[in-house]
Amino acid sequence: MKYVLVFALISKMFGSFSVSAEFNSKEDCEAANRDLREMHYGVDEPHNAYLHGKCYPKGLGK
């Protein structure tokens, strides 16, 4: 089964950013979600932001 990662970053200072990507397994999807969070937390100047990332089975809701 394929999975889709929906990841959003929302901040007052920088506005919002979202990305979605398709993966062949839930494990790959969750690893990408962790990588995006680690990249955000690793910035030199951290800022207040709301992060949301979740993997959904592809075709959910059809």
Side-chain angles (χ1 to χ4, degrees):
M1 175 181 283
K2 292 191 180 239
Y3 285 82
V4 175
L5 170 63
V6 177
F7 188 89
L9 182 148
I10 303 164
S11 76
K12 288 182 179 178
M13 189 172 192
F14 298 107
S16 64
F17 166 80
S18 64
V19 64
S20 63
E22 184 177 306
F23 297 89
N24 290 322
S25 71
K26 187 174 184 179
E27 293 78 18
D28 290 344
C29 186
E30 291 172 347
N33 189 14
R34 282 190 303 273
D35 290 347
L36 285 169
R37 287 177 181 277
E38 288 173 7
M39 285 190 312
H40 170 72
Y41 294 134
V43 297
D44 290 337
E45 296 180 25
H47 53 279
N48 293 333
Y50 170 76
L51 297 176
H52 174 79
K54 188 165 182 177
C55 295
Y56 296 96
K58 185 173 181 186
L60 188 66
K62 286 189 174 182

